[in-house]
Amino acid sequence: ISPKQLCGVPLLSERRNVLFIMADDLRTSLGCYGDSVVKSPNIDQLASKSKVFLNAYAQQAVCAPSRTSMLTSRRPDTTRLYDFKSYWRVHSGNYTTLPQYFKSQGYFTMSVGKVFHPGIASNHTDDYPYSWSIPAYHPASFRYEKEKMCKGEDGKLHANLLCAVNVTQQPGGTLPDMESTDEAVRLLKTRANDDVPFFLAVGFHKPHIPFRIPQEYLGLYPIEQMTLAPDPNVPKLLPPVAYNPWTDVRKRDDVQKLNISFPYGPIPKDFQLRIRQHYYAAVSYMDAQVGRLLRTLDELGLANSTTVVFTSDHGWSLGEHGEWAKYSNFDVTTHVPLIFFVPGVTSCHDQLRDKHLINKPEHARYQCDLTTISFLLLGLFSCFQKELCTEGNNLAYTFQHQEQGQDEEAISFSQYPRPADTPQVNSDLPDLKDIKIMGYSLRSRDYRYTLWLGFNPKTFKVNVSDVHAGELYMLADDPGQDNNVYSDFEPSVMLTKMASLPHVTLNSFFRNYTQLPLIN
């Protein structure tokens, strides 16, 4: 973006700082995405001054593969990371990450909370020192997330799914996301007067389960006002391989007491309402932490020199299709928020100090993968003119030009591995060695199309002639993706659609799937 005047304000010629915020398991349940239930004033305020991408999708709806894909701008079939048990630099390739590139360009890079997935997936160091100038920070109180911290009806502590707590009674009188915000605020203060630009990534743990959140946020969502998902039943024509049995939810003490049948349930309706209540409360709690970060930028005089990005690693099912987790290719698990605030570009200079929500954010309908984030960020910095090695699409031009309508054949790609054709205990999180089937999914403006194909975990090859199942949802009549019409279409219809898509994109991801005859 050239340093011209926008809204009467000259764009900054110096390099901007970056605040990169990532939520965990956050679907598009935000006011700025049209959710009428949620209360997310801080993110909505950010969105009102930002470019809001309405059609952004994660590449795999589970934490480690999604985050690695996003931060390396490479798809899971390239990183070969489908589970949590490999470090991509030694497993598939020594790829440059987004923060690593900023670091190489003279930025001071910092990580707080859950940015890379911790553990083996990021070499037990969050990819330090490659990606970060200083070791990554993790909140000390996170160690209690899986312990018995939730007071049950019997007065005892349990490892529950629903875990609204009195924060003052928690270890240290705090919670992980509160600690992460404290540290991020501290780091911002240390960088406020430094001439070296910074890249600060802040990863919030919520609304990831368990819903260990301050109990006062439940008051925002009275249980009598909560409603069930509009499609709470498993679709009749859903292939069994496509269903995820939400095993991690079942392991929680309060859910185990319900004696829910495996794999389809259902969860009792009164408990469904409570899950939805707690999820929304967790979103509002996380939103409050985002507000603290944004207020700090303003108080330190950094708002006019800091690009802010807000996104999530993937979504989460709240009872849609009878599911309660991520681990699928549906929109509710792959569709994520993607918000870019660029000072002097997405907002006028004087608007930055406006504390009132402006309900007219610029919504971009461009279909995009989260592999695009690297291109978007780097493309917004005029000093970065190199051609980058990436599998994302460069949408930085969308910040300079008004949207000219939707590209009917723009495609976003997602995928999910399965160990078997029918739901089993490890269907949600199969280890690499157990993956037998890969579900490749295309999301266009008017349809979602998925093929479940045979997969060899030793060679990382897919067998395009081994079709286990298919899904096709026509979104104009079926926005919730409940009516699978795959068997209703003649093969020639989808082949014609597929043939019109960009072959370079399809060939790199679907490996010549345009030649694959569909089966009825």
Side-chain angles (χ1 to χ4, degrees):
I1 296 178
S2 59
K4 299 178 181 178
Q5 288 210 349
L6 188 70
C7 302
V9 178
L11 302 186
L12 297 174
S13 59
E14 67 269 18
R15 293 188 291 180
R16 296 184 182 89
N17 306 308
V18 178
L19 174 59
F20 183 86
I21 307 171
M22 192 187 311
D24 198 346
D25 287 16
L26 176 66
R27 50 197 257 160
T28 53
S29 290
L30 297 169
C32 55
Y33 280 84
D35 191 300
S36 60
V37 176
V38 75
K39 294 174 176 60
S40 52
N42 296 292
I43 298 171
D44 294 343
Q45 167 72 8
L46 174 67
S48 74
K49 305 172 187 302
S50 303
K51 181 174 283 290
V52 179
F53 287 83
L54 295 182
N55 294 299
Y57 294 87
Q59 275 52 79
Q60 187 178 327
V62 68
C63 301
S66 171
R67 290 163 185 267
T68 300
S69 175
M70 180 193 307
L71 293 165
T72 64
S73 193
R74 286 167 172 80
R75 306 187 192 284
D77 272 356
T78 299
T79 66
R80 295 183 172 182
L81 184 66
Y82 313 104
D83 58 14
F84 295 72
K85 299 185 176 180
S86 299
Y87 178 42
W88 80 90
R89 290 193 189 274
V90 297
H91 181 64
S92 57
N94 189 24
Y95 305 126
T96 299
T97 69
L98 174 62
Q100 182 182 1
Y101 189 80
F102 272 95
K103 183 182 176 186
S104 74
Q105 297 298 314
Y107 276 67
F108 191 84
T109 59
M110 303 162 284
S111 174
V112 172
K114 187 177 178 182
V115 180
F116 284 102
H117 195 280
I120 300 174
S122 57
N123 201 33
H124 298 282
T125 64
D126 297 80
D127 200 45
Y128 174 79
Y130 298 104
S131 290
W132 312 112
S133 302
I134 56 176
Y137 170 88
H138 290 284
S141 61
F142 184 73
R143 65 180 293 266
Y144 299 104
E145 281 289 281
K146 295 184 179 180
E147 295 187 12
K148 295 182 178 182
M149 305 301 299
C150 322
K151 187 173 292 185
E153 295 177 356
D154 57 3
K156 298 179 180 179
L157 294 180
H158 299 271
N160 285 345
L161 175 69
L162 311 182
C163 191
V165 299
N166 182 332
V167 176
T168 63
Q169 297 176 0
Q170 296 297 294
T174 190
L175 292 173
D177 284 350
M178 291 179 174
E179 278 195 287
S180 290
T181 306
D182 290 342
E183 176 64 9
V185 167
R186 186 191 71 80
L187 289 172
L188 285 172
K189 290 178 178 178
T190 67
R191 309 306 304 174
N193 299 313
D194 200 302
D195 293 334
V196 177
F198 65 78
F199 180 101
L200 172 60
V202 182
F204 291 118
H205 288 279
K206 296 304 168 214
H208 193 289
I209 63 173
F211 301 122
R212 189 164 76 103
I213 58 173
Q215 58 192 13
E216 56 265 28
Y217 286 92
L218 287 184
L220 297 174
Y221 304 96
I223 193 67
E224 62 271 13
Q225 295 180 15
M226 301 306 298
T227 59
L228 298 177
D231 50 354
N233 299 317
V234 179
K236 292 181 180 179
L237 297 180
L238 181 71
V241 69
Y243 184 80
N244 79 78
W246 30 280
T247 306
D248 55 350
V249 169
R250 296 173 186 271
K251 292 177 180 178
R252 311 293 167 167
D253 291 356
D254 50 352
V255 178
Q256 285 188 346
K257 289 168 55 178
L258 301 174
N259 294 318
I260 300 167
S261 62
F262 186 90
Y264 295 108
I267 292 176
K269 291 183 179 179
D270 60 338
F271 202 86
Q272 290 188 36
L273 292 173
R274 294 183 65 199
I275 294 177
R276 290 171 66 87
Q277 176 198 36
H278 280 70
Y279 182 91
Y280 277 105
V283 173
S284 293
Y285 161 57
M286 181 273 299
D287 175 82
Q289 310 313 307
V290 173
R292 289 179 60 198
L293 292 181
L294 299 180
R295 283 192 297 275
T296 300
L297 282 184
D298 191 66
E299 292 165 359
L300 295 175
L302 293 170
N304 295 345
S305 58
T306 303
T307 292
V308 180
V309 181
F310 179 85
T311 190
S312 172
D313 54 356
H314 44 70
W316 211 76
S317 294
L318 280 173
E320 295 87 358
H321 315 109
E323 296 180 329
W324 297 91
K326 45 244 188 184
Y327 315 127
S328 80
N329 283 320
F330 286 118
D331 271 19
V332 286
T333 66
T334 58
H335 190 197
V336 296
L338 180 58
I339 299 170
F340 270 76
F341 166 73
V342 185
V345 177
T346 61
S347 174
C348 292
H349 197 72
D350 57 350
Q351 288 177 338
L352 292 175
R353 305 190 187 283
D354 182 4
K355 299 300 182 184
H356 300 286
L357 177 62
I358 303 169
N359 293 309
K360 293 183 179 180
E362 184 178 357
H363 291 87
R365 297 182 179 275
Y366 303 98
Q367 200 88 17
C368 61
D369 300 330
L370 285 189
T371 52
T372 292
I373 278 186
S374 294
F375 253 150
L376 276 168
L377 259 176
L378 297 178
L380 291 171
F381 290 76
S382 58
C383 57
F384 297 162
Q385 298 295 339
K386 297 180 181 178
E387 183 175 345
L388 302 173
C389 183
T390 173
E391 292 174 356
N393 294 315
N394 190 353
L395 296 181
Y397 71 91
T398 66
F399 287 77
Q400 295 175 277
H401 304 290
Q402 289 293 324
E403 188 174 353
Q404 300 296 320
Q406 298 186 45
D407 182 350
E408 294 188 6
E409 295 301 342
I411 293 292
S412 293
F413 299 108
S414 302
Q415 63 187 100
Y416 210 86
R418 294 283 189 241
D421 287 297
T422 56
Q424 55 189 49
V425 173
N426 65 336
S427 287
D428 293 345
L429 287 173
D431 291 343
L432 173 62
K433 62 180 176 59
D434 298 323
I435 297 173
K436 301 296 188 295
I437 305 165
M438 189 68 73
Y440 290 97
S441 191
L442 297 89
R443 174 57 155 85
S444 78
R445 183 181 70 118
D446 56 354
Y447 63 87
R448 179 174 283 284
Y449 175 54
T450 305
L451 289 177
W452 295 91
L453 306 171
F455 182 84
N456 186 327
K458 295 182 179 178
T459 62
F460 299 95
K461 299 293 185 182
V462 63
N463 184 351
V464 297
S465 63
D466 182 19
V467 182
H468 289 242
E471 299 171 77
L472 178 61
Y473 305 100
M474 307 308 293
L475 302 176
D477 299 322
D478 183 25
Q481 299 163 29
D482 298 304
N483 184 26
N484 181 14
V485 297
Y486 174 75
S487 61
D488 295 345
F489 275 69
E490 291 291 331
S492 59
V493 175
M494 285 309 296
L495 282 174
T496 299
K497 271 188 171 293
M498 299 283 281
S500 67
L501 299 177
H503 283 262
V504 65
T505 302
L506 283 173
N507 289 346
S508 66
F509 187 72
F510 271 93
R511 300 174 184 171
N512 297 307
Y513 288 5
T514 48
Q515 307 304 314
L516 175 65
L518 307 188
I519 59 173
N520 275 319

mmCIF file of all heavy atoms in Angstrom, residues 109-112 125-126 128-129 132-138 183 187:
data_model
loop_
_atom_site.group_PDB
_atom_site.id
_atom_site.type_symbol
_atom_site.label_atom_id
_atom_site.label_comp_id
_atom_site.label_asym_id
_atom_site.label_seq_id
_atom_site.Cartn_x
_atom_site.Cartn_y
_atom_site.Cartn_z
ATOM 1 N N THR A 109 9.937 -10.018 17.936
ATOM 2 C CA THR A 109 8.762 -10.894 17.912
ATOM 3 C C THR A 109 8.553 -11.565 19.262
ATOM 4 O O THR A 109 9.500 -12.045 19.889
ATOM 5 C CB THR A 109 8.905 -11.951 16.811
ATOM 6 O OG1 THR A 109 10.089 -12.726 17.051
ATOM 7 C CG2 THR A 109 8.995 -11.302 15.437
ATOM 8 N N MET A 110 7.288 -11.620 19.702
ATOM 9 C CA MET A 110 6.947 -12.128 21.031
ATOM 10 C C MET A 110 5.690 -12.986 20.952
ATOM 11 O O MET A 110 4.770 -12.682 20.181
ATOM 12 C CB MET A 110 6.697 -10.949 21.993
ATOM 13 C CG MET A 110 7.859 -9.987 22.124
ATOM 14 S SD MET A 110 7.339 -8.385 22.835
ATOM 15 C CE MET A 110 6.526 -7.621 21.431
ATOM 16 N N SER A 111 5.652 -14.026 21.768
ATOM 17 C CA SER A 111 4.502 -14.934 21.807
ATOM 18 C C SER A 111 3.989 -15.056 23.235
ATOM 19 O O SER A 111 4.756 -15.328 24.163
ATOM 20 C CB SER A 111 4.897 -16.320 21.279
ATOM 21 O OG SER A 111 3.842 -17.251 21.434
ATOM 22 N N VAL A 112 2.680 -14.876 23.399
ATOM 23 C CA VAL A 112 2.038 -14.992 24.702
ATOM 24 C C VAL A 112 0.854 -15.938 24.586
ATOM 25 O O VAL A 112 -0.001 -15.768 23.708
ATOM 26 C CB VAL A 112 1.556 -13.612 25.207
ATOM 27 C CG1 VAL A 112 0.712 -13.758 26.470
ATOM 28 C CG2 VAL A 112 2.738 -12.687 25.456
ATOM 29 N N THR A 125 9.087 -25.734 22.358
ATOM 30 C CA THR A 125 9.638 -24.386 22.554
ATOM 31 C C THR A 125 8.777 -23.313 21.902
ATOM 32 O O THR A 125 9.171 -22.142 21.888
ATOM 33 C CB THR A 125 11.044 -24.285 21.938
ATOM 34 O OG1 THR A 125 10.943 -24.463 20.511
ATOM 35 C CG2 THR A 125 11.993 -25.301 22.528
ATOM 36 N N ASP A 126 7.632 -23.703 21.350
ATOM 37 C CA ASP A 126 6.822 -22.763 20.554
ATOM 38 C C ASP A 126 7.632 -22.214 19.381
ATOM 39 O O ASP A 126 7.473 -21.068 18.970
ATOM 40 C CB ASP A 126 6.286 -21.623 21.418
ATOM 41 C CG ASP A 126 5.339 -22.119 22.495
ATOM 42 O OD1 ASP A 126 5.829 -22.620 23.532
ATOM 43 O OD2 ASP A 126 4.123 -22.030 22.299
ATOM 44 N N TYR A 128 10.733 -21.454 19.257
ATOM 45 C CA TYR A 128 11.821 -20.545 19.642
ATOM 46 C C TYR A 128 13.153 -21.290 19.452
ATOM 47 O O TYR A 128 13.232 -22.480 19.732
ATOM 48 C CB TYR A 128 11.656 -20.137 21.109
ATOM 49 C CG TYR A 128 12.800 -19.324 21.664
ATOM 50 C CD1 TYR A 128 12.903 -17.964 21.389
ATOM 51 C CD2 TYR A 128 13.787 -19.933 22.450
ATOM 52 C CE1 TYR A 128 13.962 -17.219 21.903
ATOM 53 C CE2 TYR A 128 14.843 -19.186 22.958
ATOM 54 C CZ TYR A 128 14.920 -17.832 22.681
ATOM 55 O OH TYR A 128 15.969 -17.100 23.183
ATOM 56 N N PRO A 129 14.192 -20.657 18.947
ATOM 57 C CA PRO A 129 14.332 -19.221 18.674
ATOM 58 C C PRO A 129 14.025 -18.819 17.230
ATOM 59 O O PRO A 129 14.248 -17.663 16.865
ATOM 60 C CB PRO A 129 15.807 -18.979 18.981
ATOM 61 C CG PRO A 129 16.468 -20.249 18.534
ATOM 62 C CD PRO A 129 15.496 -21.353 18.865
ATOM 63 N N TRP A 132 10.662 -16.473 17.460
ATOM 64 C CA TRP A 132 10.505 -15.454 18.492
ATOM 65 C C TRP A 132 11.852 -14.898 18.961
ATOM 66 O O TRP A 132 12.842 -15.629 19.064
ATOM 67 C CB TRP A 132 9.745 -16.034 19.690
ATOM 68 C CG TRP A 132 8.515 -16.767 19.275
ATOM 69 C CD1 TRP A 132 8.280 -18.107 19.364
ATOM 70 C CD2 TRP A 132 7.344 -16.197 18.665
ATOM 71 N NE1 TRP A 132 7.047 -18.417 18.857
ATOM 72 C CE2 TRP A 132 6.439 -17.270 18.420
ATOM 73 C CE3 TRP A 132 6.962 -14.902 18.322
ATOM 74 C CZ2 TRP A 132 5.197 -17.068 17.835
ATOM 75 C CZ3 TRP A 132 5.723 -14.703 17.736
ATOM 76 C CH2 TRP A 132 4.852 -15.777 17.501
ATOM 77 N N SER A 133 11.860 -13.614 19.304
ATOM 78 C CA SER A 133 13.070 -12.958 19.797
ATOM 79 C C SER A 133 13.364 -13.327 21.240
ATOM 80 O O SER A 133 14.516 -13.278 21.679
ATOM 81 C CB SER A 133 12.930 -11.432 19.676
ATOM 82 O OG SER A 133 12.676 -11.047 18.341
ATOM 83 N N ILE A 134 12.330 -13.668 21.988
ATOM 84 C CA ILE A 134 12.466 -14.103 23.378
ATOM 85 C C ILE A 134 11.629 -15.349 23.561
ATOM 86 O O ILE A 134 10.702 -15.602 22.779
ATOM 87 C CB ILE A 134 12.009 -12.993 24.371
ATOM 88 C CG1 ILE A 134 10.577 -12.556 24.070
ATOM 89 C CG2 ILE A 134 12.964 -11.819 24.335
ATOM 90 C CD1 ILE A 134 10.016 -11.548 25.056
ATOM 91 N N PRO A 135 11.900 -16.183 24.577
ATOM 92 C CA PRO A 135 11.094 -17.394 24.778
ATOM 93 C C PRO A 135 9.612 -17.075 24.928
ATOM 94 O O PRO A 135 9.234 -16.037 25.498
ATOM 95 C CB PRO A 135 11.677 -17.983 26.068
ATOM 96 C CG PRO A 135 13.080 -17.478 26.107
ATOM 97 C CD PRO A 135 13.029 -16.094 25.529
ATOM 98 N N ALA A 136 8.785 -17.955 24.415
ATOM 99 C CA ALA A 136 7.340 -17.777 24.486
ATOM 100 C C ALA A 136 6.854 -17.863 25.934
ATOM 101 O O ALA A 136 7.422 -18.586 26.759
ATOM 102 C CB ALA A 136 6.641 -18.830 23.639
ATOM 103 N N TYR A 137 5.803 -17.118 26.209
ATOM 104 C CA TYR A 137 5.213 -17.086 27.557
ATOM 105 C C TYR A 137 3.950 -17.936 27.595
ATOM 106 O O TYR A 137 3.092 -17.849 26.708
ATOM 107 C CB TYR A 137 4.863 -15.651 27.949
ATOM 108 C CG TYR A 137 4.030 -15.550 29.216
ATOM 109 C CD1 TYR A 137 4.634 -15.476 30.469
ATOM 110 C CD2 TYR A 137 2.635 -15.544 29.158
ATOM 111 C CE1 TYR A 137 3.880 -15.392 31.623
ATOM 112 C CE2 TYR A 137 1.867 -15.453 30.314
ATOM 113 C CZ TYR A 137 2.491 -15.386 31.541
ATOM 114 O OH TYR A 137 1.746 -15.311 32.689
ATOM 115 N N HIS A 138 3.840 -18.767 28.659
ATOM 116 C CA HIS A 138 2.611 -19.526 28.911
ATOM 117 C C HIS A 138 2.156 -19.251 30.336
ATOM 118 O O HIS A 138 2.959 -19.265 31.269
ATOM 119 C CB HIS A 138 2.843 -21.027 28.714
ATOM 120 C CG HIS A 138 3.057 -21.407 27.286
ATOM 121 N ND1 HIS A 138 2.034 -21.479 26.371
ATOM 122 C CD2 HIS A 138 4.186 -21.727 26.599
ATOM 123 C CE1 HIS A 138 2.512 -21.825 25.195
ATOM 124 N NE2 HIS A 138 3.821 -21.972 25.302
ATOM 125 N N GLU A 183 0.485 -10.328 30.878
ATOM 126 C CA GLU A 183 1.817 -10.390 30.291
ATOM 127 C C GLU A 183 1.886 -9.606 28.985
ATOM 128 O O GLU A 183 2.861 -8.899 28.709
ATOM 129 C CB GLU A 183 2.230 -11.844 30.050
ATOM 130 C CG GLU A 183 3.568 -12.033 29.344
ATOM 131 C CD GLU A 183 4.760 -11.519 30.145
ATOM 132 O OE1 GLU A 183 4.597 -11.158 31.333
ATOM 133 O OE2 GLU A 183 5.875 -11.490 29.588
ATOM 134 N N LEU A 187 4.341 -6.487 28.122
ATOM 135 C CA LEU A 187 5.235 -6.440 26.970
ATOM 136 C C LEU A 187 4.981 -5.205 26.109
ATOM 137 O O LEU A 187 5.924 -4.586 25.603
ATOM 138 C CB LEU A 187 5.080 -7.714 26.142
ATOM 139 C CG LEU A 187 5.649 -8.990 26.764
ATOM 140 C CD1 LEU A 187 5.266 -10.212 25.935
ATOM 141 C CD2 LEU A 187 7.169 -8.897 26.903
#
